[in-house]
Amino acid sequence: MTTYGPETTTDEVLLGHDLAGRHYMVTGASSGLGEESSRALAQAGATVTMLARNQSKLDKAIERIKSTNPTARLNDGIIDLSDQQSIRDYAREFLATGATIDVLINNAGVMVCPFGKTVNGIEMQFGTNHIGHFLLTNLLMPAILAGTNPRIVNLSSAGHTHSDVNLVDPNFEKSEYNAWESYGRSKSANIHFTQEIVRRYGDRIQSFAVHPGVIITELGRHLTPELMNEMTERVKSRSTSSSEAKETGALPFKSVEAGAATQVWASVTEDLSENNGAYLGDCQLGVEGGNPSESGYLPYIFNRETAEALWSLSEELVKQEFPEAT
């Protein structure tokens, strides 16, 4: 396996890769990691469909990419992952084109926002980060299965260490809302979702969950001093954190190019063929019990019963069943 690390960038991952003829779809592509992933993949020759909920912001992202790569093969699509009808409308229109998807990168998300609900009445972080991508992925599955060496990359986070999923009270109707706990639930859900995709589709699809690292992007727009302090205290309490992190609560920051590298690596590397369903960080395989700020994860994210139950709950919340592959 090629050796990379926390400072590896998207361009370094893609060095020597010719992605001409391959089609990538990236959610949350109007800024941050989604835009950088789209830029790098297009630079390597891929056709990239960039999805976002704001047309103006998406247009500007496309302009920025084409300013350095005028021949970039970019498509755009508008989708609101907090609105199931928006997801259904986009998926229906896309499938009608007959196009296939070789790699879907579920990159979009919200983080530690104030309590709120999606259009469909689901707690916002869980409803957007997991349920939105659950519905989109399953609706697009015919196009994904028709792709060449198809992959689904789900952006998770070290934030999964804040909480496993809550299958009994997903909308905080019986408990007090905590923004970090909510975020943790949604990021754990991304990993369980990855596992269940692999169980249901086996070798027909590769799927990976990715921790990008700590990057300054629009994702952090809801971070208040109180939430930052809470995160600092949580980092200090992690028994596997570095000695510096235990003392100060400081996390290693990455550039956007390094932050997007792991999801790009997951979408192109052949080094992971024997590790379908893995959790990844710093362009490396995850380590159970390791430092969550790097590639470490907590063991509860690999639980078949939880993954199956989450899939069933997700079907209830989108009011549609997606049968196992035959």
Side-chain angles (χ1 to χ4, degrees):
M1 181 178 292
T2 306
T3 301
Y4 294 127
E7 298 181 0
T8 300
T9 65
T10 50
D11 288 338
E12 290 172 334
V13 166
L14 290 171
L15 188 65
H17 285 272
D18 181 359
L19 303 181
R22 288 188 65 72
H23 179 210
Y24 289 71
M25 181 175 285
V26 183
T27 68
S30 63
S31 65
L33 304 185
E35 179 182 342
E36 170 58 19
S37 296
S38 300
R39 181 207 65 78
L41 292 164
Q43 187 68 40
T47 297
V48 183
T49 296
M50 300 170 65
L51 302 184
R53 63 181 179 178
N54 184 295
Q55 186 71 65
S56 177
K57 288 185 176 181
L58 186 56
D59 289 343
K60 290 176 182 177
I62 291 173
E63 289 175 8
R64 287 191 291 269
I65 293 173
K66 290 202 169 185
S67 69
T68 59
N69 181 11
T71 61
R73 299 179 181 89
L74 303 175
N75 304 317
D76 67 328
I78 298 303
I79 185 170
D80 184 347
L81 290 165
S82 67
D83 182 346
Q84 293 179 22
Q85 190 58 55
S86 172
I87 298 168
R88 293 184 185 280
D89 289 344
Y90 177 78
R92 182 181 63 254
E93 293 169 5
F94 179 84
L95 292 176
T97 69
T100 61
I101 301 169
D102 298 311
V103 181
L104 172 63
I105 301 180
N106 288 321
N107 163 85
V110 293
M111 184 175 75
V112 295
C113 56
F115 180 77
K117 291 187 176 181
T118 67
V119 172
N120 306 95
I122 304 168
E123 188 274 314
M124 186 61 74
Q125 294 193 76
F126 181 66
T128 301
N129 297 350
H130 168 62
I131 294 297
H133 282 122
F134 172 87
L135 180 59
L136 177 66
T137 301
N138 277 294
L139 291 177
L140 293 177
M141 195 60 75
I144 297 169
L145 290 171
T148 301
N149 186 25
R151 301 189 186 192
I152 298 168
V153 179
N154 294 315
L155 194 69
S156 181
S157 168
H160 78 270
T161 60
H162 294 304
S163 176
D164 196 1
V165 294
N166 188 315
L167 302 172
V168 177
D169 185 27
N171 293 323
F172 287 90
E173 294 171 338
K174 302 175 183 176
S175 57
E176 183 178 356
Y177 178 74
N178 178 278
W180 279 116
E181 180 179 353
S182 169
Y183 184 64
R185 291 181 183 186
S186 71
K187 295 292 99 180
S188 289
N190 295 146
I191 307 169
H192 290 304
F193 178 41
T194 300
Q195 291 294 298
E196 189 63 7
I197 289 172
V198 171
R199 190 186 73 79
R200 286 172 171 255
Y201 290 95
D203 293 337
R204 296 173 67 185
I205 295 177
Q206 291 186 67
S207 187
F208 304 100
V210 170
H211 167 50
V214 183
I215 310 102
I216 299 176
T217 69
E218 289 187 10
L219 183 66
R221 60 188 175 274
H222 295 294
L223 282 170
T224 64
E226 291 77 15
L227 286 169
M228 286 295 295
N229 182 65
E230 185 176 346
M231 181 180 72
T232 297
E233 293 306 312
R234 286 174 183 262
V235 172
K236 288 181 180 180
S237 68
R238 289 173 176 164
S239 60
T240 56
S241 292
S242 65
S243 57
E244 179 184 357
K246 284 181 181 179
E247 181 178 349
T248 68
L251 292 170
F253 280 86
K254 291 185 178 183
S255 67
V256 173
E257 294 80 6
T262 303
Q263 62 198 55
V264 169
W265 178 62
S267 74
V268 301
T269 184
E270 297 302 325
D271 290 344
L272 298 170
S273 58
E274 301 300 318
N275 301 100
N276 199 6
Y279 176 82
L280 312 174
D282 289 346
C283 296
Q284 300 175 29
L285 283 171
V287 178
E288 181 176 337
N291 185 351
S293 300
E294 297 169 354
S295 60
Y297 65 84
L298 295 185
Y300 57 62
I301 63 172
F302 290 104
N303 184 298
R304 176 169 173 168
E305 290 184 359
T306 302
E308 291 177 348
L310 175 64
W311 188 285
S312 296
L313 173 63
S314 302
E315 288 180 324
E316 292 176 16
L317 293 174
V318 302
K319 298 180 172 58
Q320 183 172 350
E321 292 185 3
F322 298 100
E324 292 196 32
T326 57

